[in-house]
């Protein structure tokens, strides 16, 4: 039996993934962050620089990018190229900050999950409004 917290985590993951893939697309087409393959955003994935196991960075927009299945799964994150692109995009200091954040202990509670769900729901509504 799933707990309320686990249901909220699943819902939040879905909303965050949808937002990352939408915000990285134009006319439903998005580009893989590491290999530049273009595809329908529904065929691409929300990939994480710092692993999804780190719950407090799992939905950080600084940590998430659009990836194709090949780079994310078959190439085991294509991590070297991802790291290079992240450094070019957000600078080494921010990459180092993300890497150090993963070692901090932070319990993500139900209230915080609900707040994040509301945040991503609003981002998606804004995105829909702007794109229509």
């Amino acid at each position: 039996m799933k707990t309320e917290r686990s249901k909220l985590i699943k819902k939040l993951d879905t909303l965050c993934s949808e937002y990352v893939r939408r915000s990285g697309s134009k006319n439903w087409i998005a580009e893989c962050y590491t290999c530049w393959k273009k595809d329908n955003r529904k065929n691409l994935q929300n990939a994480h620089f710092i692993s999804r196991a780190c719950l407090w960075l799992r939905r950080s927009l600084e940590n998430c990018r659009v990836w194709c299945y090949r780079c994310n799964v078959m190439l085991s994150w294509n991590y070297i190229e991802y790291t290079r692109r992240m450094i070019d995009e957000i600078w080494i200091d921010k990459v180092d900050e993300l890497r150090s954040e993963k070692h901090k202990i932070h319990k993500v509670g139900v209230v915080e999950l609900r707040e994040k769900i509301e945040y991503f729901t609003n981002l998606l509504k804004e995105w829909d409004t702007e794109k229509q």
Side-chain angles (χ1 to χ4, degrees), residues 27-86:
N27 298 325
W28 286 83
I29 302 299
E31 185 176 84
C32 175
Y33 190 70
T34 54
C35 77
W36 302 282
K37 174 189 173 187
K38 293 182 180 183
D39 201 347
N40 185 301
R41 71 179 186 228
K42 289 196 175 233
N43 298 331
L44 298 171
Q45 300 177 352
N46 174 24
H48 303 80
F49 180 65
I50 303 300
S51 168
R52 287 171 42 101
C54 180
L55 283 178
W56 52 98
L57 291 177
R58 188 164 162 168
R59 294 143 206 112
S60 165
L61 295 178
E62 293 173 327
N63 190 42
C64 298
R65 299 293 184 278
V66 177
W67 265 353
C68 68
Y69 175 84
R70 180 180 169 270
C71 287
N72 195 17
V73 178
M74 295 174 68
L75 295 178
S76 299
W77 300 350
N78 202 354
Y79 202 75
I80 292 171
E81 186 61 29
Y82 195 172
T83 303
R84 287 180 178 165
R85 296 253 355 241
M86 290 289 284

Side-chain angles (χ1 to χ4, degrees), residues 62-117:
E62 293 173 327
N63 190 42
C64 298
R65 299 293 184 278
V66 177
W67 265 353
C68 68
Y69 175 84
R70 180 180 169 270
C71 287
N72 195 17
V73 178
M74 295 174 68
L75 295 178
S76 299
W77 300 350
N78 202 354
Y79 202 75
I80 292 171
E81 186 61 29
Y82 195 172
T83 303
R84 287 180 178 165
R85 296 253 355 241
M86 290 289 284
I87 290 169
D88 288 346
E89 182 184 350
I90 65 173
W91 302 98
I92 188 70
D93 293 341
K94 190 62 183 172
V95 169
D96 287 343
E97 184 181 318
L98 284 170
R99 291 176 64 211
S100 68
E101 279 291 314
K102 74 179 180 179
H103 299 292
K104 293 182 179 176
I105 297 171
H106 177 82
K107 175 75 171 164
V108 179
V110 170
V111 172
E112 186 176 352
L113 291 168
R114 286 186 184 133
E115 288 170 355
K116 285 283 197 176
I117 287 170

